[in-house]
Amino acid sequence: MPPDRDELEYTWLKRSAPIWLSPRTVAGYDAGDFSSFSPADRDQLTAQVNAFRGVAEAIADREPTAAELKSGLAYLMNFINLLDHLALDAEGRALLLALYRSRITFPDFVLGIDYTLDTDATGDPGIWIWVIVPDDVDPDSSEFRQFSTQFRKEVRRALAEVKSDRLPYIHYRLLSEAVGLMSEGVV
């Protein structure tokens, strides 16, 4: 019998924990950056960041328990929801929602997705998408090739759905590289 959705989500959260359940995720947080928020909203945001940081620091270099994954994710989602109007621009949010509603099935080797909206060297609007994968992923495997082809098509479909004229630039980033960039404050 195939695993159920909850089991698959838990497995994905556990495998991707080095990316998101880390103090690096909120390392640059400064309540002063949110002067447009009311003091109560800034306090609530700071409380969520501190609670998330507490869970992330508690697990250090060990595998998190199911309870730690659940609480870390809850604090992170609360933080993101509070920042929603600042953290994701409307176009990026619409694109991600269109992608997640798509027909694409994300295989186990997809640990995360990140994006940046900018202009390319010719001045045309673009979206740079990084798909984070484990260090041991085989880019020559049929599963990887099939996913990358399908993902490219779904990104183009999602861009058309949200009526975006951005050109997609899709790249694959190894987990160790993503963690290294986060440590350097690049990502």
Side-chain angles (χ1 to χ4, degrees), residues 89-101:
D89 53 87
E91 187 177 5
R93 183 182 311 112
L95 174 64
L96 289 177
L97 287 173
L99 266 178
Y100 288 122
R101 285 192 311 260

Side-chain angles (χ1 to χ4, degrees), residues 136-152:
D136 62 354
V137 72
D138 179 5
D140 294 323
S141 71
S142 62
E143 183 182 25
F144 187 92
R145 287 192 317 259
Q146 181 181 4
F147 169 76
S148 63
T149 300
Q150 183 185 15
F151 185 68
R152 186 178 314 107

Side-chain angles (χ1 to χ4, degrees), residues 17-43:
I19 297 171
W20 66 270
L21 190 52
S22 165
R24 293 181 305 267
T25 302
V26 293
Y29 175 75
D30 179 355
D33 291 339
F34 303 98
S35 58
S36 63
F37 281 31
S38 71
D41 288 342
R42 276 195 310 273
D43 290 346

